[in-house]
Amino acid sequence: MSFSQTLQVFEAFDSAHASGQTVVDLLAPYAAHGVTVEVLKIEGKKGATDFVKICIPGDVGKRAGGAAPSLGIVGRLGGIGARPSRIGLVSDADGAIASVAAALKLAHMRTQGDALAGDVFITTHICPDAPTRPHEPVDFMDSPIDTEDVNAHEVWDEMDAVLSLDTTKGNRIINHKGYAISPTVKEGYILRVSEDLLRIMEMTSGQPAVTFPVTTQDITPYGNGVYHLNSIMQPSIATRAPVVGVAITTQSIVPGCGTGASHEADIALTVKFAVEVAKEFGRGTCQFYDTEDYARLLALYGSLAHLSKRQPH
């Protein structure tokens, strides 16, 4: 179960004083088991945020000299709060809560003798006073720093695949309360939805799998002047690894800057999914995409990596 970890993070983040140190404190009891937390404060034109990088080591992970693949879990958001215009956690905080709760669960599992095979890297950022910005059909949270700076710290080469966890409620595309997963995106290609991820989703939720569409616009850089569903697929422009969006969703349209709009049970379900993917990915029983199919696409149509550039030449 991951509900207790979700509530623990939820309460810790529901504060005007929440910061990267909050995450350090949450994971401090697991430092003796190899769990590490790094915090870097980054300042931008619209404020500052604390970037957090967490490593949950695997028994045969690359950092231990092993060969098990490493999973990245990204908590995508603009900010966990919009103070002073809004009081309390905003809906946009769900991705940060889910990613840190997943880290807590994986760390606790390690202390109970259930270490994973591969390393798991979790990243997010903590900003309790982020700005907001207009968006259709409802306002979004903005980020205090530029998207390029966010991407530079969210993913790195050690990640062999990435789950991007993000609140995705301000749209008319997904009319489902809970969470949904995207097709796999790799270097500009929108690939088929992973059968392994569908299987894990159905197993952990006890319901039929729910997916959401991704468009070419969504896998191009923010700030290029085209419409994006939201920023959930932005990690795909900063890595060669396959990326899958895990959208925390609602049936109604909810603004990212809305408060009282986070649903603990839905976040916990997302955490459970991410944890189970981490288990299977590290031991090689979960694939994000078909390597032969992807190679065939490259042979037929060439690279689409230019889509990751804001102004391709």
Side-chain angles (χ1 to χ4, degrees):
M1 296 296 291
S2 52
F3 199 68
S4 62
Q5 287 84 9
T6 300
L7 293 180
Q8 188 178 355
V9 178
F10 195 101
E11 291 296 336
F13 283 3
D14 194 9
S15 167
H17 308 295
S19 67
Q21 186 61 44
T22 305
V23 181
V24 172
D25 294 342
L26 285 169
L27 287 160
Y30 306 103
H33 295 270
V35 176
T36 61
V37 185
E38 300 176 37
V39 178
L40 176 65
K41 185 173 184 178
I42 302 178
E43 297 191 10
K45 297 177 181 179
K46 302 175 185 178
T49 191
D50 286 350
F51 257 93
V52 178
K53 295 183 178 181
I54 304 166
C55 174
I56 312 293
D59 275 355
V60 287
K62 295 177 181 177
R63 290 198 173 184
S70 305
L71 179 67
I73 299 175
V74 175
R76 203 68 175 61
L77 72 161
I80 64 171
R83 297 172 179 86
S85 62
R86 308 286 198 283
I87 296 175
L89 278 175
V90 294
S91 174
D92 203 42
D94 290 5
I97 296 170
S99 61
V100 176
L104 268 181
K105 178 62 178 179
L106 291 168
H108 179 70
M109 286 168 50
R110 188 168 177 80
T111 68
Q112 302 303 302
D114 285 331
L116 272 58
D119 302 326
V120 181
F121 304 111
I122 299 99
T123 63
T124 193
H125 68 96
I126 311 300
C127 179
D129 50 10
T132 62
R133 68 180 180 87
H135 186 274
E136 293 295 337
V138 290
D139 288 348
F140 271 4
M141 288 293 295
D142 201 355
S143 174
I145 62 175
D146 291 338
T147 302
E148 288 78 5
D149 293 328
V150 175
N151 291 338
H153 293 278
E154 277 186 337
V155 294
W156 60 92
D157 291 342
E158 284 183 279
M159 296 178 177
D160 295 309
V162 178
L163 292 178
S164 177
L165 282 50
D166 195 357
T167 312
T168 311
K169 304 172 183 175
N171 62 82
R172 295 187 178 90
I173 304 302
I174 315 170
N175 302 310
H176 165 76
K177 187 176 183 297
Y179 71 97
I181 63 174
S182 77
T184 299
V185 173
K186 179 170 167 58
E187 297 181 86
Y189 275 96
I190 302 173
L191 306 173
R192 64 179 291 192
V193 180
S194 163
E195 289 291 333
D196 287 331
L197 295 181
L198 291 172
R199 169 179 55 80
I200 294 171
M201 184 180 191
E202 291 183 338
M203 177 181 68
T204 55
S205 69
Q207 297 179 336
V210 179
T211 63
F212 68 95
V214 170
T215 67
T216 302
Q217 291 98 312
D218 296 323
I219 63 171
T220 61
Y222 249 37
N224 63 358
V226 301
Y227 180 87
H228 294 72
L229 175 69
N230 67 355
S231 68
I232 191 168
M233 303 310 299
Q234 287 300 291
S236 70
I237 72 171
T239 180
R240 297 182 63 187
V243 176
V244 169
V246 184
I248 302 169
T249 60
T250 49
Q251 287 182 295
S252 60
I253 300 174
V254 178
C257 55
T259 56
S262 294
H263 305 277
E264 297 88 337
D266 295 340
I267 300 172
L269 277 175
T270 306
V271 174
K272 188 189 297 186
F273 171 76
V275 168
E276 294 302 317
V277 171
K279 290 180 188 178
E280 292 210 24
F281 186 73
R283 65 174 182 250
T285 57
C286 172
Q287 303 300 321
F288 276 50
Y289 71 105
D290 185 314
T291 56
E292 292 183 2
D293 213 31
Y294 179 68
R296 178 66 173 161
L297 285 170
L298 286 177
L300 288 171
Y301 306 111
S303 172
L304 295 182
H306 61 276
L307 289 173
S308 67
K309 298 179 177 62
R310 180 174 290 190
Q311 294 177 327
H313 296 286

